[in-house]
Amino acid sequence: MTDASSRMTSHRPYLLRALNEWIADNGMTPHLLVDATQAGVQVPASAVKEGKVVLNIAERAVVRLMIDNDAVSFTARFGGVSQPVYVPISAVLAIYSRETGQGMALPEDVTHDADTGKESGDDAPATDTPPDDHTPPPGGKRPPFLRVVK
């Protein structure tokens, strides 16, 4: 990895803005899947189910939508009451169209550790043997998946 690439900003907000525009340009309704357990997430507790929340970010559903490099923020109505919403970019798990389910689960950021000169992230070290498809992931975690919630 070069020094220039280690100084690059996160690609997640750029993907989020592009996919939001693509979904809206096609007349569909963009939804975010958010990990509501992450630090800094501000959403109504009543909207959270199993630690996750699905947010409609269509222009007609929100006021002052801002997707910057740090967070997604807007004001929306929950149960008829207008409330502010703040979601750090790291808490956004996916963006998709409500109507078609098309979208993307956002990839994890890969950071560069200046002390070791190595990348850190979810990538496991390479092995000489392919993984056994029948072995469950370590820690009892399920593989990531995207489910459309209506």
Side-chain angles (χ1 to χ4, degrees), residues 80-126:
V81 178
S82 186
Q83 297 190 35
V85 173
Y86 183 86
V87 178
I89 292 294
S90 61
V92 178
L93 301 174
I95 180 169
Y96 62 93
S97 161
R98 177 186 70 198
E99 294 83 359
T100 66
Q102 288 184 295
M104 173 186 269
L106 296 180
E108 290 292 321
D109 271 333
V110 175
T111 57
H112 185 67
D113 187 344
D115 295 333
T116 65
K118 295 182 179 179
E119 292 180 5
S120 62
D122 282 349
D123 295 337

Short mmCIF file of all heavy atoms in Angstrom, two decimals, residues 80-126:
data_model
loop_
_atom_site.label_atom_id
_atom_site.label_comp_id
_atom_site.label_asym_id
_atom_site.label_seq_id
_atom_site.Cartn_x
_atom_site.Cartn_y
_atom_site.Cartn_z
N GLY A 80 -46.01 10.44 13.69
CA GLY A 80 -46.61 11.77 13.57
C GLY A 80 -45.82 12.88 14.25
O GLY A 80 -46.21 14.04 14.18
N VAL A 81 -44.70 12.54 14.88
CA VAL A 81 -43.89 13.54 15.58
C VAL A 81 -42.57 13.73 14.85
O VAL A 81 -41.84 12.77 14.59
CB VAL A 81 -43.62 13.10 17.04
CG1 VAL A 81 -42.74 14.11 17.75
CG2 VAL A 81 -44.91 12.87 17.79
N SER A 82 -42.26 14.98 14.52
CA SER A 82 -41.02 15.30 13.82
C SER A 82 -39.84 15.15 14.78
O SER A 82 -39.84 15.72 15.87
CB SER A 82 -41.10 16.74 13.29
OG SER A 82 -39.98 17.02 12.51
N GLN A 83 -38.81 14.38 14.34
CA GLN A 83 -37.65 14.12 15.20
C GLN A 83 -36.37 14.17 14.38
O GLN A 83 -36.35 13.74 13.23
CB GLN A 83 -37.78 12.75 15.86
CG GLN A 83 -38.99 12.66 16.77
CD GLN A 83 -38.97 11.40 17.60
OE1 GLN A 83 -37.91 10.93 18.01
NE2 GLN A 83 -40.14 10.84 17.86
N PRO A 84 -35.29 14.66 14.99
CA PRO A 84 -34.00 14.66 14.29
C PRO A 84 -33.39 13.26 14.27
O PRO A 84 -33.57 12.48 15.21
CB PRO A 84 -33.14 15.61 15.13
CG PRO A 84 -33.72 15.55 16.50
CD PRO A 84 -35.20 15.29 16.31
N VAL A 85 -32.68 12.96 13.19
CA VAL A 85 -32.01 11.67 13.04
C VAL A 85 -30.55 11.96 12.69
O VAL A 85 -30.27 12.81 11.85
CB VAL A 85 -32.67 10.82 11.92
CG1 VAL A 85 -31.87 9.56 11.65
CG2 VAL A 85 -34.10 10.50 12.28
N TYR A 86 -29.66 11.23 13.35
CA TYR A 86 -28.23 11.35 13.07
C TYR A 86 -27.63 9.96 13.05
O TYR A 86 -27.78 9.20 14.02
CB TYR A 86 -27.54 12.20 14.14
CG TYR A 86 -26.07 12.44 13.88
CD1 TYR A 86 -25.66 13.50 13.08
CD2 TYR A 86 -25.11 11.60 14.41
CE1 TYR A 86 -24.32 13.72 12.83
CE2 TYR A 86 -23.76 11.81 14.17
CZ TYR A 86 -23.38 12.88 13.38
OH TYR A 86 -22.04 13.09 13.12
N VAL A 87 -26.99 9.60 11.94
CA VAL A 87 -26.41 8.26 11.79
C VAL A 87 -24.97 8.40 11.29
O VAL A 87 -24.76 8.84 10.15
CB VAL A 87 -27.23 7.41 10.79
CG1 VAL A 87 -26.58 6.04 10.61
CG2 VAL A 87 -28.67 7.28 11.23
N PRO A 88 -23.99 8.05 12.10
CA PRO A 88 -22.60 8.04 11.60
C PRO A 88 -22.49 7.10 10.41
O PRO A 88 -23.15 6.06 10.36
CB PRO A 88 -21.80 7.52 12.79
CG PRO A 88 -22.66 7.76 13.99
CD PRO A 88 -24.07 7.64 13.50
N ILE A 89 -21.66 7.46 9.46
CA ILE A 89 -21.49 6.65 8.25
C ILE A 89 -21.12 5.21 8.60
O ILE A 89 -21.59 4.27 7.97
CB ILE A 89 -20.43 7.28 7.31
CG1 ILE A 89 -20.93 8.61 6.73
CG2 ILE A 89 -20.04 6.32 6.20
CD1 ILE A 89 -22.11 8.51 5.80
N SER A 90 -20.34 5.02 9.65
CA SER A 90 -19.92 3.66 10.02
C SER A 90 -21.09 2.79 10.47
O SER A 90 -20.99 1.56 10.45
CB SER A 90 -18.87 3.72 11.13
OG SER A 90 -19.42 4.34 12.29
N ALA A 91 -22.22 3.40 10.87
CA ALA A 91 -23.38 2.63 11.34
C ALA A 91 -24.31 2.23 10.19
O ALA A 91 -25.21 1.43 10.39
CB ALA A 91 -24.16 3.44 12.37
N VAL A 92 -24.10 2.78 9.00
CA VAL A 92 -24.94 2.43 7.85
C VAL A 92 -24.47 1.08 7.31
O VAL A 92 -23.33 0.93 6.88
CB VAL A 92 -24.89 3.50 6.74
CG1 VAL A 92 -25.74 3.09 5.55
CG2 VAL A 92 -25.34 4.85 7.28
N LEU A 93 -25.36 0.11 7.34
CA LEU A 93 -25.03 -1.23 6.88
C LEU A 93 -25.32 -1.42 5.40
O LEU A 93 -24.61 -2.14 4.70
CB LEU A 93 -25.81 -2.27 7.69
CG LEU A 93 -25.57 -2.25 9.20
CD1 LEU A 93 -26.50 -3.22 9.90
CD2 LEU A 93 -24.11 -2.57 9.50
N ALA A 94 -26.42 -0.79 4.91
CA ALA A 94 -26.82 -0.99 3.52
C ALA A 94 -27.74 0.15 3.08
O ALA A 94 -28.36 0.83 3.90
CB ALA A 94 -27.55 -2.32 3.35
N ILE A 95 -27.84 0.32 1.77
CA ILE A 95 -28.82 1.21 1.15
C ILE A 95 -29.46 0.42 0.02
O ILE A 95 -28.77 -0.29 -0.72
CB ILE A 95 -28.19 2.53 0.64
CG1 ILE A 95 -29.28 3.43 0.02
CG2 ILE A 95 -27.03 2.27 -0.30
CD1 ILE A 95 -28.82 4.85 -0.29
N TYR A 96 -30.80 0.51 -0.07
CA TYR A 96 -31.50 -0.26 -1.09
C TYR A 96 -32.83 0.40 -1.45
O TYR A 96 -33.33 1.26 -0.73
CB TYR A 96 -31.73 -1.70 -0.63
CG TYR A 96 -32.61 -1.81 0.60
CD1 TYR A 96 -33.98 -1.99 0.49
CD2 TYR A 96 -32.07 -1.71 1.87
CE1 TYR A 96 -34.80 -2.08 1.61
CE2 TYR A 96 -32.87 -1.79 3.00
CZ TYR A 96 -34.22 -1.97 2.86
OH TYR A 96 -35.02 -2.04 3.97
N SER A 97 -33.39 -0.02 -2.56
CA SER A 97 -34.69 0.45 -3.02
C SER A 97 -35.78 -0.38 -2.33
O SER A 97 -35.73 -1.61 -2.36
CB SER A 97 -34.80 0.28 -4.53
OG SER A 97 -36.14 0.31 -4.95
N ARG A 98 -36.76 0.30 -1.75
CA ARG A 98 -37.86 -0.42 -1.10
C ARG A 98 -38.63 -1.27 -2.10
O ARG A 98 -39.02 -2.39 -1.82
CB ARG A 98 -38.83 0.57 -0.43
CG ARG A 98 -40.03 -0.14 0.21
CD ARG A 98 -41.05 0.82 0.74
NE ARG A 98 -41.72 1.47 -0.39
CZ ARG A 98 -42.41 2.59 -0.29
NH1 ARG A 98 -42.52 3.21 0.85
NH2 ARG A 98 -43.00 3.10 -1.35
N GLU A 99 -38.83 -0.74 -3.30
CA GLU A 99 -39.65 -1.42 -4.30
C GLU A 99 -39.00 -2.65 -4.90
O GLU A 99 -39.67 -3.64 -5.18
CB GLU A 99 -40.03 -0.44 -5.43
CG GLU A 99 -40.92 0.69 -4.99
CD GLU A 99 -40.18 1.86 -4.35
OE1 GLU A 99 -38.94 1.82 -4.21
OE2 GLU A 99 -40.85 2.84 -3.96
N THR A 100 -37.69 -2.60 -5.15
CA THR A 100 -37.02 -3.69 -5.85
C THR A 100 -36.03 -4.47 -4.99
O THR A 100 -35.63 -5.57 -5.36
CB THR A 100 -36.25 -3.17 -7.07
OG1 THR A 100 -35.18 -2.33 -6.60
CG2 THR A 100 -37.15 -2.42 -8.03
N GLY A 101 -35.60 -3.87 -3.89
CA GLY A 101 -34.58 -4.50 -3.06
C GLY A 101 -33.18 -4.32 -3.60
O GLY A 101 -32.20 -4.74 -2.99
N GLN A 102 -33.05 -3.67 -4.76
CA GLN A 102 -31.72 -3.46 -5.34
C GLN A 102 -30.99 -2.40 -4.54
O GLN A 102 -31.56 -1.40 -4.11
CB GLN A 102 -31.82 -3.01 -6.79
CG GLN A 102 -32.26 -4.10 -7.72
CD GLN A 102 -32.26 -3.60 -9.15
OE1 GLN A 102 -33.03 -2.72 -9.49
NE2 GLN A 102 -31.38 -4.16 -9.96
N GLY A 103 -29.72 -2.63 -4.34
CA GLY A 103 -28.89 -1.69 -3.59
C GLY A 103 -27.58 -2.35 -3.25
O GLY A 103 -27.09 -3.20 -3.99
N MET A 104 -27.04 -1.98 -2.09
CA MET A 104 -25.73 -2.49 -1.73
C MET A 104 -25.54 -2.52 -0.23
O MET A 104 -25.91 -1.57 0.47
CB MET A 104 -24.64 -1.59 -2.34
CG MET A 104 -23.23 -1.91 -1.91
SD MET A 104 -22.04 -0.71 -2.51
CE MET A 104 -21.59 -1.47 -4.04
N ALA A 105 -24.98 -3.62 0.25
CA ALA A 105 -24.49 -3.66 1.63
C ALA A 105 -23.13 -2.97 1.57
O ALA A 105 -22.27 -3.34 0.76
CB ALA A 105 -24.35 -5.09 2.10
N LEU A 106 -22.94 -1.95 2.38
CA LEU A 106 -21.71 -1.17 2.30
C LEU A 106 -20.53 -1.96 2.85
O LEU A 106 -20.63 -2.57 3.92
CB LEU A 106 -21.86 0.15 3.05
CG LEU A 106 -22.90 1.10 2.48
CD1 LEU A 106 -22.96 2.38 3.30
CD2 LEU A 106 -22.60 1.43 1.04
N PRO A 107 -19.41 -1.94 2.12
CA PRO A 107 -18.23 -2.67 2.58
C PRO A 107 -17.59 -1.96 3.77
O PRO A 107 -17.75 -0.76 3.95
CB PRO A 107 -17.30 -2.64 1.36
CG PRO A 107 -17.72 -1.44 0.59
CD PRO A 107 -19.19 -1.27 0.84
N GLU A 108 -16.86 -2.73 4.57
CA GLU A 108 -16.13 -2.16 5.69
C GLU A 108 -14.99 -1.31 5.15
O GLU A 108 -14.43 -1.60 4.09
CB GLU A 108 -15.55 -3.28 6.57
CG GLU A 108 -16.58 -4.04 7.34
CD GLU A 108 -17.27 -3.21 8.41
OE1 GLU A 108 -16.59 -2.40 9.07
OE2 GLU A 108 -18.47 -3.38 8.57
N ASP A 109 -14.61 -0.30 5.91
CA ASP A 109 -13.43 0.48 5.55
C ASP A 109 -12.19 -0.30 5.91
O ASP A 109 -12.15 -0.99 6.93
CB ASP A 109 -13.41 1.81 6.32
CG ASP A 109 -14.14 2.91 5.59
OD1 ASP A 109 -14.22 2.85 4.35
OD2 ASP A 109 -14.63 3.84 6.25
N VAL A 110 -11.16 -0.18 5.09
CA VAL A 110 -9.87 -0.76 5.40
C VAL A 110 -8.98 0.39 5.82
O VAL A 110 -8.84 1.37 5.09
CB VAL A 110 -9.27 -1.49 4.17
CG1 VAL A 110 -7.88 -1.99 4.47
CG2 VAL A 110 -10.17 -2.63 3.75
N THR A 111 -8.42 0.29 7.00
CA THR A 111 -7.55 1.36 7.50
C THR A 111 -6.11 0.88 7.45
O THR A 111 -5.82 -0.31 7.49
CB THR A 111 -7.92 1.75 8.93
OG1 THR A 111 -7.84 0.59 9.75
CG2 THR A 111 -9.31 2.34 9.00
N HIS A 112 -5.19 1.81 7.40
CA HIS A 112 -3.77 1.51 7.33
C HIS A 112 -3.16 1.82 8.68
O HIS A 112 -3.26 2.93 9.17
CB HIS A 112 -3.13 2.36 6.23
CG HIS A 112 -1.69 2.03 5.99
ND1 HIS A 112 -1.28 0.84 5.47
CD2 HIS A 112 -0.57 2.76 6.20
CE1 HIS A 112 0.05 0.85 5.36
NE2 HIS A 112 0.49 1.99 5.80
N ASP A 113 -2.52 0.84 9.28
CA ASP A 113 -1.87 1.02 10.58
C ASP A 113 -0.46 1.55 10.33
O ASP A 113 0.41 0.85 9.82
CB ASP A 113 -1.82 -0.32 11.32
CG ASP A 113 -1.32 -0.18 12.74
OD1 ASP A 113 -0.74 0.89 13.07
OD2 ASP A 113 -1.52 -1.12 13.52
N ALA A 114 -0.23 2.80 10.73
CA ALA A 114 1.04 3.45 10.47
C ALA A 114 2.19 2.78 11.22
O ALA A 114 3.33 2.79 10.76
CB ALA A 114 0.97 4.93 10.85
N ASP A 115 1.94 2.20 12.39
CA ASP A 115 3.00 1.58 13.17
C ASP A 115 3.51 0.29 12.55
O ASP A 115 4.70 0.02 12.54
CB ASP A 115 2.52 1.29 14.60
CG ASP A 115 2.20 2.58 15.36
OD1 ASP A 115 2.79 3.62 15.03
OD2 ASP A 115 1.36 2.53 16.28
N THR A 116 2.62 -0.54 12.06
CA THR A 116 3.02 -1.84 11.53
C THR A 116 3.16 -1.82 10.02
O THR A 116 3.75 -2.73 9.45
CB THR A 116 2.00 -2.93 11.90
OG1 THR A 116 0.75 -2.63 11.28
CG2 THR A 116 1.84 -3.04 13.41
N GLY A 117 2.54 -0.83 9.36
CA GLY A 117 2.57 -0.78 7.90
C GLY A 117 1.64 -1.78 7.27
O GLY A 117 1.73 -2.06 6.10
N LYS A 118 0.73 -2.34 8.07
CA LYS A 118 -0.20 -3.34 7.56
C LYS A 118 -1.61 -2.79 7.54
O LYS A 118 -1.93 -1.87 8.28
CB LYS A 118 -0.16 -4.60 8.43
CG LYS A 118 1.15 -5.32 8.38
CD LYS A 118 1.10 -6.57 9.21
CE LYS A 118 2.43 -7.30 9.15
NZ LYS A 118 2.40 -8.51 9.96
N GLU A 119 -2.44 -3.40 6.69
CA GLU A 119 -3.85 -3.03 6.63
C GLU A 119 -4.59 -3.73 7.74
O GLU A 119 -4.26 -4.84 8.14
CB GLU A 119 -4.45 -3.45 5.29
CG GLU A 119 -3.92 -2.67 4.12
CD GLU A 119 -4.56 -3.12 2.83
OE1 GLU A 119 -5.46 -3.97 2.86
OE2 GLU A 119 -4.15 -2.62 1.79
N SER A 120 -5.63 -3.05 8.25
CA SER A 120 -6.52 -3.72 9.20
C SER A 120 -7.92 -3.62 8.65
O SER A 120 -8.26 -2.69 7.94
CB SER A 120 -6.42 -3.09 10.59
OG SER A 120 -6.82 -1.74 10.53
N GLY A 121 -8.74 -4.58 8.99
CA GLY A 121 -10.10 -4.63 8.49
C GLY A 121 -10.64 -6.02 8.69
O GLY A 121 -10.14 -6.78 9.51
N ASP A 122 -11.65 -6.37 7.93
CA ASP A 122 -12.27 -7.68 8.08
C ASP A 122 -11.57 -8.76 7.27
O ASP A 122 -11.94 -9.92 7.36
CB ASP A 122 -13.74 -7.63 7.64
CG ASP A 122 -14.60 -7.01 8.72
OD1 ASP A 122 -14.11 -6.83 9.84
OD2 ASP A 122 -15.78 -6.73 8.42
N ASP A 123 -10.57 -8.40 6.47
CA ASP A 123 -9.92 -9.39 5.62
C ASP A 123 -9.09 -10.34 6.47
O ASP A 123 -8.25 -9.94 7.25
CB ASP A 123 -9.01 -8.71 4.60
CG ASP A 123 -9.78 -7.86 3.62
OD1 ASP A 123 -10.98 -8.12 3.43
OD2 ASP A 123 -9.18 -6.94 3.05
N ALA A 124 -9.32 -11.63 6.28
CA ALA A 124 -8.54 -12.64 6.98
C ALA A 124 -7.27 -12.90 6.20
O ALA A 124 -7.22 -12.71 4.99
CB ALA A 124 -9.37 -13.91 7.10
N PRO A 125 -6.23 -13.37 6.87
CA PRO A 125 -4.99 -13.68 6.14
C PRO A 125 -5.22 -14.81 5.15
O PRO A 125 -6.04 -15.70 5.38
CB PRO A 125 -4.01 -14.10 7.25
CG PRO A 125 -4.83 -14.35 8.47
CD PRO A 125 -6.12 -13.62 8.29
N ALA A 126 -4.47 -14.78 4.08
CA ALA A 126 -4.61 -15.80 3.04
C ALA A 126 -4.09 -17.13 3.56
O ALA A 126 -3.11 -17.18 4.30
CB ALA A 126 -3.85 -15.38 1.79
#
